[in-house]
Amino acid sequence: MKQAFLHRAAWMAPITGQPVENGAVLVRNGVILAAGPYERVKAESPPLTTVVDHGYAILMPALVNAHTHLELTGLAGRIHLPRESFRSWLEELLPLRPTLTPEVQSRGVVDGRALLASSGAALCGDIANGLYFEESHEEDPPERFVLHELLGFDRDSLGDALGPDGLEAFLAAARSNPSLSLAAHACYSVSAGILRGAKEWCRAGKRVFSIHVAEHADEIEFLQSGNGFCRELLESLGRWVPGWAPPRATPAAYLEGLGVLDRRTLLVHAAHMSRSDWEIVVRNGCSVCFCPRSNANLGVGRPHMELALELGVTAALGTDSLASNSDLDLFAEASYVIDNFSGIPPKQVLSMITLGGAWALGKQQSFGSIEKGKSASLLAVTLPERFNANELSEIIVNQGKKGEWQWADRCRSV
Ligand SMILES: [Zn+2]
């Protein structure tokens, strides 16, 4: 029988319930056995349990960064941010893409994982264009939920997008790795046939499917009229399909019409959504990952997160990549939301960077809250000398952003 550890701190934030003063979490073999008031959990602990006292801190579940592109980590600092438009950002990004050799991307994934671990993330949703064959099952956080990204406005099917060898390799990798799935890049860069085929595969295996949606106004214009920057982009890349008829719908309505929205569809960005778009998201049960600092850096707009949350959308936060953000620190992303979206209670923001992300990636059984049976990836966030207990969520985010936290327990330590 493995050693049990009882982590105790001045406070404990389970996320699914109210914070507990003098709280504790009993863990063994990387799994939470019990959590609650210290005296009660101590009484439940098996003999020879080691008590680890984190002192004047608050225990919380590790973070979930629901949208990253770790293979772009090597582009850190190489694109001037902020930009005035998506177009100007892409014009600087595209010439840099040839520098992203497989070695550079591979190193980016390793470096990116280290950055995520050093910012308190236990799980990430990582968009990848390759490298999933090298996926190893490291014991340290963060766990990578890899979404292989599909492109191909001028291709008809999943097989066309990946090629016969690519499809076979992907399917073989997916058989042994349940944390591997598919993402489509966007409605303006992927055909309807690929969208349907990819979602069909994900649905059959109960895996999350993801897509960037309504990130910028150019996308909205393209789906309405077939014109604008997205069309120019496709033409310049030799991917335009002559005679293509625009759906004359918003991205959300278009995707609903294709039948690819359900509770295992994760929509990313959603910066240009109408109320009826949000109603589509709600009635299909999709989750949404917001990346507000990336949106601000690309000058694409501000997502109406307040409305989404008011309507009950399952929401997560992501940092996006270091090509569009200054760091991969989800505490910093949460702090940005608290500072710039005053209508959203900090408690809800804290939930977005933990449980919301876990739901978005279909990993709510293991991550996102301190509950019996879940992963024992815990953070101990140091508390300031004086604080108001009603403001604990905001204090956690502020202290986290300042780096005032430690890993309380990693799976490997027990
Ligand atoms: Zn992205």
Side-chain angles (χ1 to χ4, degrees):
M1 186 68 81
K2 295 240 182 171
Q3 172 75 46
F5 292 84
L6 181 62
H7 294 274
R8 181 258 157 214
W11 287 84
M12 188 270 289
I15 303 297
T16 40
Q18 289 300 318
V20 177
E21 195 165 1
N22 193 19
V25 187
L26 179 65
V27 311
R28 184 165 57 202
N29 201 19
V31 177
I32 295 170
L33 299 180
Y38 174 68
E39 295 301 338
R40 197 200 77 205
V41 182
K42 189 173 188 327
E44 290 174 25
S45 301
L48 305 176
T49 293
T50 301
V51 177
V52 184
D53 195 338
H54 298 276
Y56 203 58
I58 183 161
L59 293 167
M60 67 173 291
L63 311 184
V64 181
N65 192 335
H67 185 75
T68 58
H69 299 249
L70 296 185
E71 63 194 20
L72 301 183
T73 300
L75 293 180
R78 297 189 65 192
I79 297 179
H80 179 253
L81 299 172
R83 314 295 302 189
E84 65 276 14
S85 68
F86 182 77
R87 178 189 204 127
S88 92
W89 174 77
L90 199 65
E91 282 171 355
E92 195 159 323
L93 173 69
L94 285 177
L96 290 172
R97 284 208 72 105
T99 66
L100 290 168
T101 60
E103 294 72 33
V104 171
Q105 291 184 54
S106 197
R107 201 180 324 125
V109 171
V110 172
D111 294 347
R113 284 185 84 246
L115 288 171
L116 287 173
S118 68
S119 61
L123 171 68
C124 69
D126 188 21
I127 305 293
N129 283 271
L131 308 172
Y132 47 79
F133 312 114
E134 296 164 29
E135 179 71 5
S136 59
H137 297 277
E138 298 95 344
E139 287 182 17
D140 290 346
E143 179 177 326
R144 268 175 90 211
F145 185 80
V146 178
L147 292 140
H148 182 68
E149 185 169 56
L150 301 164
L151 282 156
F153 188 75
D154 57 344
R155 310 275 164 86
D156 289 331
S157 66
L158 189 53
D160 288 342
L162 290 170
D165 292 349
L167 180 59
E168 201 167 305
F170 171 79
L171 294 175
R175 269 193 290 277
S176 61
N177 182 2
S179 289
L180 175 60
S181 193
L182 292 170
H185 174 260
C187 293
Y188 62 88
S189 52
V190 177
S191 70
I194 293 176
L195 285 165
R196 282 201 204 93
K199 180 62 197 183
E200 200 178 311
W201 181 85
C202 292
R203 194 173 267 144
K206 295 189 166 66
R207 298 188 193 211
V208 167
F209 167 73
S210 185
I211 181 167
H212 298 110
V213 166
E215 182 179 5
H216 42 75
D218 300 307
E219 177 180 341
I220 309 298
E221 180 190 8
F222 181 70
L223 291 187
Q224 286 294 343
S225 70
N227 295 318
F229 173 63
C230 294
R231 164 108 176 231
E232 288 171 35
L233 181 65
L234 289 166
E235 285 176 339
S236 70
L237 296 170
R239 299 285 190 178
W240 172 244
V241 177
W244 181 76
R248 301 195 188 285
T250 63
Y254 171 56
L255 292 171
E256 185 180 46
L258 292 178
V260 302
L261 300 184
D262 63 24
R263 65 193 178 87
R264 288 198 185 88
T265 298
L266 169 58
L267 307 175
V268 179
H269 293 306
H272 292 263
M273 304 274 282
S274 66
R275 176 174 270 271
S276 65
D277 288 332
W278 284 120
E279 285 164 357
I280 289 172
V281 172
V282 171
R283 74 168 166 259
N284 287 282
C286 310
S287 40
V288 174
C289 179
F290 295 105
C291 307
R293 285 191 300 164
S294 170
N295 298 152
N297 282 331
L298 270 50
V300 295
R302 180 185 189 279
H304 202 337
M305 273 193 256
E306 299 90 338
L307 178 58
L309 291 167
E310 187 190 312
L311 294 174
V313 170
T314 302
L317 282 182
T319 56
D320 216 346
S321 76
L322 289 182
S324 65
N325 209 341
S326 49
D327 57 67
L328 301 180
D329 185 348
L330 209 51
F331 278 128
E333 198 73 34
S335 174
Y336 178 87
V337 173
I338 289 174
D339 290 346
N340 292 277
F341 294 78
S342 57
I344 304 178
K347 190 179 170 193
Q348 214 157 6
V349 179
L350 191 62
S351 184
M352 288 166 80
I353 60 174
T354 51
L355 197 54
W359 272 99
L361 298 175
K363 296 274 188 179
Q364 69 277 8
Q365 302 295 341
S366 306
F367 292 96
S369 61
I370 296 182
E371 289 180 277
K372 187 179 176 185
K374 286 201 178 188
S375 158
S377 287
L378 305 172
L379 308 181
V381 180
T382 308
L383 290 166
E385 244 173 67
R386 253 178 278 226
F387 67 92
N388 180 341
N390 295 323
E391 294 169 358
L392 262 179
S393 299
E394 198 166 355
I395 285 159
I396 288 172
V397 170
N398 286 340
Q399 293 292 93
K401 188 187 172 190
K402 283 193 266 175
E404 297 285 341
W405 63 272
Q406 291 183 318
W407 284 98
D409 187 279
R410 288 190 169 189
C411 303
R412 66 181 160 83
S413 67
V414 283

